[in-house]
Amino acid sequence: MKKTNIAIFVSGGGTNCENLIKYFSGSDHIASTLVLSNRADAYGLVRAERLGVPTVVVNKAQLNDPDFMLPLLREYGVGFIVLAGFLPLVPDFLIEAFPRRMVNLHPALLPKYGGKGMWGHHVHEAVKAAGETETGMTVHYVSSVCDGGEIIAQYRVALSPDDTVDDIAEKEHQLEMQYFPTIVEKVILENR
């Protein structure tokens, strides 16, 4: 059975991107073949290059152009897309081209704390402000509704009233490091 090539889309630091690349580096079934970013200064690109994975930076017009994006993804043989801290909305033509083959990681327990503007520290600040006793991560299929796709998996962690926003972010990030690669792997293998 041939490998499924994945593209990882990032906008920032890329810790999940690096974790995915390392996790799949020895896989017989899945290969990280491209890291794509909407920001030339995304540190995720540096992480990918250090691990020998090709990188591409796209601007807004390119991201939204099927005549640019689809040939690019074909060039790298991409069969599955992982959004790992990718902030722009994904255009509908990409969602249609990768049905049930595109997932997103969200740093909260959706449907709470999702939607436009809810990313990174904004999410953790909202969790803290609401006095939540737990938070977690959600992996979901990408749909045309921001953070609205079908939920695949959620993992939870307890919060203390003394937790700062940074504590909340760290607790949630530990869940991402532990579970995200295995969820991606499971989804890819089940949908082959």
Side-chain angles (χ1 to χ4, degrees):
M1 192 178 289
K2 83 178 214 202
K3 285 190 177 187
T4 298
N5 292 334
I6 67 169
I8 305 167
F9 288 19
V10 299
S11 293
T15 53
N16 278 296
C17 174
E18 180 176 23
N19 196 27
L20 288 163
I21 292 168
K22 287 179 175 177
Y23 183 84
F24 292 124
S25 66
S27 173
D28 294 331
H29 306 291
I30 300 164
S32 306
T33 56
L34 176 66
V35 172
L36 180 143
S37 183
N38 62 309
R39 292 183 39 192
D41 64 344
Y43 196 71
L45 297 170
V46 175
R47 293 177 191 272
E49 288 165 358
R50 284 183 183 156
L51 294 169
V53 177
T55 61
V56 173
V57 177
V58 299
N59 62 36
K60 187 175 183 176
Q62 290 168 324
L63 176 65
N64 290 292
D65 180 359
D67 295 328
F68 178 84
M69 286 298 294
L70 296 176
L72 173 69
L73 295 172
R74 273 195 299 274
E75 177 185 339
Y76 288 91
V78 173
F80 197 92
I81 296 172
V82 180
L83 307 183
F86 188 68
L87 299 182
L89 281 177
V90 175
D92 285 343
F93 74 83
L94 261 186
I95 297 167
E96 290 161 12
F98 290 86
R100 295 183 77 78
R101 292 183 294 128
M102 187 184 317
V103 298
N104 181 50
L105 170 64
H106 187 75
L109 297 169
L110 291 176
K112 285 184 172 183
Y113 311 111
K116 188 171 171 56
M118 278 291 156
W119 54 273
H121 252 57
H122 302 290
V123 172
H124 305 306
E125 288 165 358
V127 168
K128 174 70 175 171
E132 295 285 356
T133 58
E134 66 176 4
T135 192
M137 60 171 273
T138 302
V139 179
H140 64 92
Y141 288 110
V142 177
S143 75
S144 57
V145 176
C146 182
D147 295 327
E150 177 189 341
I151 292 173
I152 298 164
Q154 291 185 313
Y155 291 90
R156 300 167 185 274
V157 63
L159 298 178
S160 145
D162 299 330
D163 284 338
T164 65
V165 172
D166 287 340
D167 294 334
I168 294 168
E170 180 57 30
K171 285 181 175 185
E172 187 277 328
H173 189 66
Q174 290 303 316
L175 294 177
E176 295 175 0
M177 293 293 103
Q178 183 174 355
Y179 295 112
F180 193 38
T182 56
I183 297 166
V184 170
E185 180 178 47
K186 183 172 186 270
V187 171
I188 290 172
L189 295 179
E190 285 176 356
N191 290 336
R192 290 182 90 149

PDB file of all heavy atoms in Angstrom, residues 136-169:
ATOM      1  N   GLY A 136      -9.338  21.829  26.901  1.00  0.00           N
ATOM      2  CA  GLY A 136      -8.849  20.689  26.145  1.00  0.00           C
ATOM      3  C   GLY A 136      -8.599  21.049  24.707  1.00  0.00           C
ATOM      4  O   GLY A 136      -8.537  22.223  24.341  1.00  0.00           O
ATOM      5  N   MET A 137      -8.426  20.008  23.910  1.00  0.00           N
ATOM      6  CA  MET A 137      -8.162  20.183  22.487  1.00  0.00           C
ATOM      7  C   MET A 137      -9.228  19.441  21.696  1.00  0.00           C
ATOM      8  O   MET A 137      -9.791  18.454  22.154  1.00  0.00           O
ATOM      9  CB  MET A 137      -6.789  19.645  22.121  1.00  0.00           C
ATOM     10  CG  MET A 137      -6.626  18.163  22.405  1.00  0.00           C
ATOM     11  SD  MET A 137      -5.110  17.450  21.758  1.00  0.00           S
ATOM     12  CE  MET A 137      -5.617  17.003  20.103  1.00  0.00           C
ATOM     13  N   THR A 138      -9.481  19.934  20.498  1.00  0.00           N
ATOM     14  CA  THR A 138     -10.434  19.305  19.588  1.00  0.00           C
ATOM     15  C   THR A 138      -9.770  19.129  18.238  1.00  0.00           C
ATOM     16  O   THR A 138      -9.132  20.056  17.737  1.00  0.00           O
ATOM     17  CB  THR A 138     -11.694  20.185  19.415  1.00  0.00           C
ATOM     18  OG1 THR A 138     -12.296  20.406  20.683  1.00  0.00           O
ATOM     19  CG2 THR A 138     -12.689  19.543  18.464  1.00  0.00           C
ATOM     20  N   VAL A 139      -9.925  17.956  17.660  1.00  0.00           N
ATOM     21  CA  VAL A 139      -9.542  17.741  16.262  1.00  0.00           C
ATOM     22  C   VAL A 139     -10.836  17.529  15.504  1.00  0.00           C
ATOM     23  O   VAL A 139     -11.695  16.744  15.926  1.00  0.00           O
ATOM     24  CB  VAL A 139      -8.611  16.522  16.097  1.00  0.00           C
ATOM     25  CG1 VAL A 139      -8.247  16.318  14.627  1.00  0.00           C
ATOM     26  CG2 VAL A 139      -7.347  16.701  16.935  1.00  0.00           C
ATOM     27  N   HIS A 140     -10.989  18.278  14.397  1.00  0.00           N
ATOM     28  CA  HIS A 140     -12.226  18.179  13.623  1.00  0.00           C
ATOM     29  C   HIS A 140     -11.941  18.262  12.137  1.00  0.00           C
ATOM     30  O   HIS A 140     -10.905  18.774  11.719  1.00  0.00           O
ATOM     31  CB  HIS A 140     -13.217  19.276  14.052  1.00  0.00           C
ATOM     32  CG  HIS A 140     -12.741  20.667  13.767  1.00  0.00           C
ATOM     33  ND1 HIS A 140     -13.034  21.328  12.593  1.00  0.00           N
ATOM     34  CD2 HIS A 140     -11.983  21.523  14.497  1.00  0.00           C
ATOM     35  CE1 HIS A 140     -12.478  22.539  12.619  1.00  0.00           C
ATOM     36  NE2 HIS A 140     -11.836  22.679  13.762  1.00  0.00           N
ATOM     37  N   TYR A 141     -12.881  17.726  11.356  1.00  0.00           N
ATOM     38  CA  TYR A 141     -12.793  17.885   9.907  1.00  0.00           C
ATOM     39  C   TYR A 141     -13.017  19.356   9.580  1.00  0.00           C
ATOM     40  O   TYR A 141     -13.775  20.047  10.268  1.00  0.00           O
ATOM     41  CB  TYR A 141     -13.837  17.028   9.189  1.00  0.00           C
ATOM     42  CG  TYR A 141     -13.532  15.560   9.227  1.00  0.00           C
ATOM     43  CD1 TYR A 141     -14.295  14.689   9.993  1.00  0.00           C
ATOM     44  CD2 TYR A 141     -12.472  15.023   8.492  1.00  0.00           C
ATOM     45  CE1 TYR A 141     -14.024  13.328  10.025  1.00  0.00           C
ATOM     46  CE2 TYR A 141     -12.191  13.664   8.525  1.00  0.00           C
ATOM     47  CZ  TYR A 141     -12.967  12.827   9.294  1.00  0.00           C
ATOM     48  OH  TYR A 141     -12.685  11.483   9.335  1.00  0.00           O
ATOM     49  N   VAL A 142     -12.363  19.819   8.523  1.00  0.00           N
ATOM     50  CA  VAL A 142     -12.520  21.211   8.115  1.00  0.00           C
ATOM     51  C   VAL A 142     -13.764  21.328   7.246  1.00  0.00           C
ATOM     52  O   VAL A 142     -13.993  20.516   6.339  1.00  0.00           O
ATOM     53  CB  VAL A 142     -11.271  21.691   7.343  1.00  0.00           C
ATOM     54  CG1 VAL A 142     -11.460  23.121   6.840  1.00  0.00           C
ATOM     55  CG2 VAL A 142     -10.043  21.603   8.241  1.00  0.00           C
ATOM     56  N   SER A 143     -14.576  22.334   7.558  1.00  0.00           N
ATOM     57  CA  SER A 143     -15.760  22.641   6.760  1.00  0.00           C
ATOM     58  C   SER A 143     -15.715  24.117   6.400  1.00  0.00           C
ATOM     59  O   SER A 143     -14.809  24.837   6.817  1.00  0.00           O
ATOM     60  CB  SER A 143     -17.039  22.317   7.539  1.00  0.00           C
ATOM     61  OG  SER A 143     -17.271  23.291   8.540  1.00  0.00           O
ATOM     62  N   SER A 144     -16.730  24.573   5.670  1.00  0.00           N
ATOM     63  CA  SER A 144     -16.751  25.981   5.277  1.00  0.00           C
ATOM     64  C   SER A 144     -17.119  26.902   6.442  1.00  0.00           C
ATOM     65  O   SER A 144     -17.013  28.113   6.330  1.00  0.00           O
ATOM     66  CB  SER A 144     -17.710  26.192   4.107  1.00  0.00           C
ATOM     67  OG  SER A 144     -18.993  25.746   4.463  1.00  0.00           O
ATOM     68  N   VAL A 145     -17.525  26.313   7.579  1.00  0.00           N
ATOM     69  CA  VAL A 145     -17.815  27.103   8.782  1.00  0.00           C
ATOM     70  C   VAL A 145     -16.586  27.066   9.692  1.00  0.00           C
ATOM     71  O   VAL A 145     -16.112  25.989  10.055  1.00  0.00           O
ATOM     72  CB  VAL A 145     -19.039  26.526   9.528  1.00  0.00           C
ATOM     73  CG1 VAL A 145     -19.284  27.286  10.822  1.00  0.00           C
ATOM     74  CG2 VAL A 145     -20.260  26.550   8.639  1.00  0.00           C
ATOM     75  N   CYS A 146     -16.081  28.226  10.079  1.00  0.00           N
ATOM     76  CA  CYS A 146     -14.887  28.303  10.925  1.00  0.00           C
ATOM     77  C   CYS A 146     -15.095  27.507  12.213  1.00  0.00           C
ATOM     78  O   CYS A 146     -16.033  27.781  12.971  1.00  0.00           O
ATOM     79  CB  CYS A 146     -14.585  29.767  11.239  1.00  0.00           C
ATOM     80  SG  CYS A 146     -13.115  30.018  12.235  1.00  0.00           S
ATOM     81  N   ASP A 147     -14.237  26.506  12.426  1.00  0.00           N
ATOM     82  CA  ASP A 147     -14.296  25.619  13.600  1.00  0.00           C
ATOM     83  C   ASP A 147     -15.608  24.851  13.701  1.00  0.00           C
ATOM     84  O   ASP A 147     -15.987  24.391  14.778  1.00  0.00           O
ATOM     85  CB  ASP A 147     -14.047  26.394  14.909  1.00  0.00           C
ATOM     86  CG  ASP A 147     -12.645  26.970  14.982  1.00  0.00           C
ATOM     87  OD1 ASP A 147     -11.714  26.344  14.445  1.00  0.00           O
ATOM     88  OD2 ASP A 147     -12.486  28.049  15.573  1.00  0.00           O
ATOM     89  N   GLY A 148     -16.303  24.697  12.570  1.00  0.00           N
ATOM     90  CA  GLY A 148     -17.620  24.080  12.600  1.00  0.00           C
ATOM     91  C   GLY A 148     -17.705  22.664  12.068  1.00  0.00           C
ATOM     92  O   GLY A 148     -18.780  22.081  12.058  1.00  0.00           O
ATOM     93  N   GLY A 149     -16.592  22.104  11.609  1.00  0.00           N
ATOM     94  CA  GLY A 149     -16.630  20.760  11.031  1.00  0.00           C
ATOM     95  C   GLY A 149     -16.864  19.678  12.074  1.00  0.00           C
ATOM     96  O   GLY A 149     -16.710  19.894  13.278  1.00  0.00           O
ATOM     97  N   GLU A 150     -17.231  18.500  11.589  1.00  0.00           N
ATOM     98  CA  GLU A 150     -17.515  17.349  12.449  1.00  0.00           C
ATOM     99  C   GLU A 150     -16.335  17.053  13.376  1.00  0.00           C
ATOM    100  O   GLU A 150     -15.187  16.968  12.935  1.00  0.00           O
ATOM    101  CB  GLU A 150     -17.800  16.129  11.573  1.00  0.00           C
ATOM    102  CG  GLU A 150     -18.044  14.850  12.329  1.00  0.00           C
ATOM    103  CD  GLU A 150     -18.098  13.626  11.408  1.00  0.00           C
ATOM    104  OE1 GLU A 150     -18.307  13.792  10.190  1.00  0.00           O
ATOM    105  OE2 GLU A 150     -17.905  12.513  11.923  1.00  0.00           O
ATOM    106  N   ILE A 151     -16.628  16.893  14.660  1.00  0.00           N
ATOM    107  CA  ILE A 151     -15.584  16.614  15.654  1.00  0.00           C
ATOM    108  C   ILE A 151     -15.136  15.162  15.544  1.00  0.00           C
ATOM    109  O   ILE A 151     -15.958  14.250  15.484  1.00  0.00           O
ATOM    110  CB  ILE A 151     -16.089  16.941  17.074  1.00  0.00           C
ATOM    111  CG1 ILE A 151     -16.275  18.459  17.215  1.00  0.00           C
ATOM    112  CG2 ILE A 151     -15.132  16.403  18.138  1.00  0.00           C
ATOM    113  CD1 ILE A 151     -16.928  18.886  18.517  1.00  0.00           C
ATOM    114  N   ILE A 152     -13.818  14.968  15.514  1.00  0.00           N
ATOM    115  CA  ILE A 152     -13.214  13.639  15.430  1.00  0.00           C
ATOM    116  C   ILE A 152     -12.827  13.150  16.819  1.00  0.00           C
ATOM    117  O   ILE A 152     -13.087  12.007  17.177  1.00  0.00           O
ATOM    118  CB  ILE A 152     -11.968  13.675  14.519  1.00  0.00           C
ATOM    119  CG1 ILE A 152     -12.358  14.086  13.103  1.00  0.00           C
ATOM    120  CG2 ILE A 152     -11.249  12.328  14.533  1.00  0.00           C
ATOM    121  CD1 ILE A 152     -11.191  14.516  12.240  1.00  0.00           C
ATOM    122  N   ALA A 153     -12.171  14.018  17.592  1.00  0.00           N
ATOM    123  CA  ALA A 153     -11.699  13.628  18.926  1.00  0.00           C
ATOM    124  C   ALA A 153     -11.527  14.865  19.798  1.00  0.00           C
ATOM    125  O   ALA A 153     -11.219  15.950  19.296  1.00  0.00           O
ATOM    126  CB  ALA A 153     -10.369  12.884  18.823  1.00  0.00           C
ATOM    127  N   GLN A 154     -11.727  14.668  21.101  1.00  0.00           N
ATOM    128  CA  GLN A 154     -11.470  15.716  22.089  1.00  0.00           C
ATOM    129  C   GLN A 154     -10.761  15.090  23.284  1.00  0.00           C
ATOM    130  O   GLN A 154     -11.071  13.961  23.675  1.00  0.00           O
ATOM    131  CB  GLN A 154     -12.772  16.373  22.563  1.00  0.00           C
ATOM    132  CG  GLN A 154     -13.452  17.194  21.498  1.00  0.00           C
ATOM    133  CD  GLN A 154     -14.676  17.936  22.015  1.00  0.00           C
ATOM    134  OE1 GLN A 154     -15.517  17.370  22.705  1.00  0.00           O
ATOM    135  NE2 GLN A 154     -14.778  19.210  21.671  1.00  0.00           N
ATOM    136  N   TYR A 155      -9.822  15.840  23.824  1.00  0.00           N
ATOM    137  CA  TYR A 155      -9.134  15.427  25.048  1.00  0.00           C
ATOM    138  C   TYR A 155      -9.211  16.574  26.032  1.00  0.00           C
ATOM    139  O   TYR A 155      -9.098  17.733  25.657  1.00  0.00           O
ATOM    140  CB  TYR A 155      -7.675  15.042  24.756  1.00  0.00           C
ATOM    141  CG  TYR A 155      -7.581  13.774  23.952  1.00  0.00           C
ATOM    142  CD1 TYR A 155      -7.568  13.820  22.566  1.00  0.00           C
ATOM    143  CD2 TYR A 155      -7.563  12.529  24.574  1.00  0.00           C
ATOM    144  CE1 TYR A 155      -7.525  12.656  21.822  1.00  0.00           C
ATOM    145  CE2 TYR A 155      -7.510  11.358  23.836  1.00  0.00           C
ATOM    146  CZ  TYR A 155      -7.490  11.431  22.462  1.00  0.00           C
ATOM    147  OH  TYR A 155      -7.453  10.276  21.722  1.00  0.00           O
ATOM    148  N   ARG A 156      -9.402  16.232  27.323  1.00  0.00           N
ATOM    149  CA  ARG A 156      -9.661  17.237  28.357  1.00  0.00           C
ATOM    150  C   ARG A 156      -8.567  17.243  29.414  1.00  0.00           C
ATOM    151  O   ARG A 156      -7.917  16.220  29.653  1.00  0.00           O
ATOM    152  CB  ARG A 156     -10.990  16.929  29.045  1.00  0.00           C
ATOM    153  CG  ARG A 156     -12.161  16.922  28.115  1.00  0.00           C
ATOM    154  CD  ARG A 156     -13.417  16.315  28.750  1.00  0.00           C
ATOM    155  NE  ARG A 156     -14.477  16.222  27.766  1.00  0.00           N
ATOM    156  CZ  ARG A 156     -15.315  17.217  27.483  1.00  0.00           C
ATOM    157  NH1 ARG A 156     -15.257  18.340  28.155  1.00  0.00           N
ATOM    158  NH2 ARG A 156     -16.229  17.061  26.547  1.00  0.00           N
ATOM    159  N   VAL A 157      -8.440  18.395  30.064  1.00  0.00           N
ATOM    160  CA  VAL A 157      -7.535  18.523  31.200  1.00  0.00           C
ATOM    161  C   VAL A 157      -8.207  19.446  32.222  1.00  0.00           C
ATOM    162  O   VAL A 157      -8.860  20.428  31.857  1.00  0.00           O
ATOM    163  CB  VAL A 157      -6.143  19.055  30.767  1.00  0.00           C
ATOM    164  CG1 VAL A 157      -6.234  20.457  30.178  1.00  0.00           C
ATOM    165  CG2 VAL A 157      -5.159  19.022  31.921  1.00  0.00           C
ATOM    166  N   ALA A 158      -8.052  19.090  33.501  1.00  0.00           N
ATOM    167  CA  ALA A 158      -8.655  19.888  34.577  1.00  0.00           C
ATOM    168  C   ALA A 158      -7.892  21.192  34.765  1.00  0.00           C
ATOM    169  O   ALA A 158      -6.674  21.250  34.589  1.00  0.00           O
ATOM    170  CB  ALA A 158      -8.656  19.088  35.876  1.00  0.00           C
ATOM    171  N   LEU A 159      -8.632  22.226  35.143  1.00  0.00           N
ATOM    172  CA  LEU A 159      -8.040  23.531  35.442  1.00  0.00           C
ATOM    173  C   LEU A 159      -8.292  23.874  36.905  1.00  0.00           C
ATOM    174  O   LEU A 159      -9.293  23.478  37.475  1.00  0.00           O
ATOM    175  CB  LEU A 159      -8.645  24.615  34.557  1.00  0.00           C
ATOM    176  CG  LEU A 159      -8.450  24.469  33.057  1.00  0.00           C
ATOM    177  CD1 LEU A 159      -9.158  25.602  32.324  1.00  0.00           C
ATOM    178  CD2 LEU A 159      -6.965  24.444  32.704  1.00  0.00           C
ATOM    179  N   SER A 160      -7.356  24.632  37.451  1.00  0.00           N
ATOM    180  CA  SER A 160      -7.483  25.128  38.816  1.00  0.00           C
ATOM    181  C   SER A 160      -7.802  26.620  38.749  1.00  0.00           C
ATOM    182  O   SER A 160      -7.364  27.303  37.818  1.00  0.00           O
ATOM    183  CB  SER A 160      -6.149  24.887  39.532  1.00  0.00           C
ATOM    184  OG  SER A 160      -5.876  25.920  40.436  1.00  0.00           O
ATOM    185  N   PRO A 161      -8.523  27.155  39.715  1.00  0.00           N
ATOM    186  CA  PRO A 161      -8.791  28.606  39.728  1.00  0.00           C
ATOM    187  C   PRO A 161      -7.499  29.429  39.750  1.00  0.00           C
ATOM    188  O   PRO A 161      -7.493  30.587  39.344  1.00  0.00           O
ATOM    189  CB  PRO A 161      -9.598  28.816  41.006  1.00  0.00           C
ATOM    190  CG  PRO A 161     -10.149  27.481  41.359  1.00  0.00           C
ATOM    191  CD  PRO A 161      -9.191  26.459  40.828  1.00  0.00           C
ATOM    192  N   ASP A 162      -6.407  28.822  40.235  1.00  0.00           N
ATOM    193  CA  ASP A 162      -5.124  29.529  40.303  1.00  0.00           C
ATOM    194  C   ASP A 162      -4.363  29.528  38.983  1.00  0.00           C
ATOM    195  O   ASP A 162      -3.364  30.242  38.847  1.00  0.00           O
ATOM    196  CB  ASP A 162      -4.228  28.898  41.379  1.00  0.00           C
ATOM    197  CG  ASP A 162      -4.846  28.978  42.764  1.00  0.00           C
ATOM    198  OD1 ASP A 162      -5.606  29.933  43.018  1.00  0.00           O
ATOM    199  OD2 ASP A 162      -4.567  28.088  43.588  1.00  0.00           O
ATOM    200  N   ASP A 163      -4.804  28.726  38.008  1.00  0.00           N
ATOM    201  CA  ASP A 163      -4.101  28.671  36.723  1.00  0.00           C
ATOM    202  C   ASP A 163      -4.141  30.024  36.023  1.00  0.00           C
ATOM    203  O   ASP A 163      -5.203  30.648  35.915  1.00  0.00           O
ATOM    204  CB  ASP A 163      -4.737  27.623  35.792  1.00  0.00           C
ATOM    205  CG  ASP A 163      -4.379  26.204  36.180  1.00  0.00           C
ATOM    206  OD1 ASP A 163      -3.354  26.007  36.866  1.00  0.00           O
ATOM    207  OD2 ASP A 163      -5.119  25.280  35.780  1.00  0.00           O
ATOM    208  N   THR A 164      -2.982  30.446  35.539  1.00  0.00           N
ATOM    209  CA  THR A 164      -2.911  31.658  34.720  1.00  0.00           C
ATOM    210  C   THR A 164      -3.264  31.283  33.279  1.00  0.00           C
ATOM    211  O   THR A 164      -3.378  30.099  32.938  1.00  0.00           O
ATOM    212  CB  THR A 164      -1.486  32.248  34.736  1.00  0.00           C
ATOM    213  OG1 THR A 164      -0.605  31.305  34.099  1.00  0.00           O
ATOM    214  CG2 THR A 164      -1.021  32.543  36.160  1.00  0.00           C
ATOM    215  N   VAL A 165      -3.397  32.274  32.432  1.00  0.00           N
ATOM    216  CA  VAL A 165      -3.641  32.015  31.006  1.00  0.00           C
ATOM    217  C   VAL A 165      -2.496  31.175  30.439  1.00  0.00           C
ATOM    218  O   VAL A 165      -2.726  30.241  29.669  1.00  0.00           O
ATOM    219  CB  VAL A 165      -3.819  33.339  30.226  1.00  0.00           C
ATOM    220  CG1 VAL A 165      -3.866  33.088  28.725  1.00  0.00           C
ATOM    221  CG2 VAL A 165      -5.085  34.058  30.685  1.00  0.00           C
ATOM    222  N   ASP A 166      -1.264  31.485  30.846  1.00  0.00           N
ATOM    223  CA  ASP A 166      -0.108  30.703  30.370  1.00  0.00           C
ATOM    224  C   ASP A 166      -0.165  29.260  30.874  1.00  0.00           C
ATOM    225  O   ASP A 166       0.196  28.338  30.150  1.00  0.00           O
ATOM    226  CB  ASP A 166       1.211  31.350  30.797  1.00  0.00           C
ATOM    227  CG  ASP A 166       1.516  32.621  30.018  1.00  0.00           C
ATOM    228  OD1 ASP A 166       0.940  32.817  28.921  1.00  0.00           O
ATOM    229  OD2 ASP A 166       2.337  33.421  30.504  1.00  0.00           O
ATOM    230  N   ASP A 167      -0.611  29.054  32.106  1.00  0.00           N
ATOM    231  CA  ASP A 167      -0.763  27.688  32.643  1.00  0.00           C
ATOM    232  C   ASP A 167      -1.791  26.913  31.814  1.00  0.00           C
ATOM    233  O   ASP A 167      -1.593  25.741  31.485  1.00  0.00           O
ATOM    234  CB  ASP A 167      -1.235  27.710  34.100  1.00  0.00           C
ATOM    235  CG  ASP A 167      -0.215  28.306  35.062  1.00  0.00           C
ATOM    236  OD1 ASP A 167       0.990  28.266  34.762  1.00  0.00           O
ATOM    237  OD2 ASP A 167      -0.659  28.815  36.121  1.00  0.00           O
ATOM    238  N   ILE A 168      -2.905  27.578  31.505  1.00  0.00           N
ATOM    239  CA  ILE A 168      -3.961  26.944  30.709  1.00  0.00           C
ATOM    240  C   ILE A 168      -3.409  26.568  29.334  1.00  0.00           C
ATOM    241  O   ILE A 168      -3.611  25.449  28.853  1.00  0.00           O
ATOM    242  CB  ILE A 168      -5.186  27.874  30.587  1.00  0.00           C
ATOM    243  CG1 ILE A 168      -5.841  28.058  31.964  1.00  0.00           C
ATOM    244  CG2 ILE A 168      -6.191  27.343  29.558  1.00  0.00           C
ATOM    245  CD1 ILE A 168      -6.886  29.164  32.029  1.00  0.00           C
ATOM    246  N   ALA A 169      -2.680  27.500  28.720  1.00  0.00           N
ATOM    247  CA  ALA A 169      -2.094  27.243  27.403  1.00  0.00           C
ATOM    248  C   ALA A 169      -1.142  26.049  27.458  1.00  0.00           C
ATOM    249  O   ALA A 169      -1.162  25.189  26.564  1.00  0.00           O
ATOM    250  CB  ALA A 169      -1.356  28.485  26.908  1.00  0.00           C
TER     251      ALA A 169
END
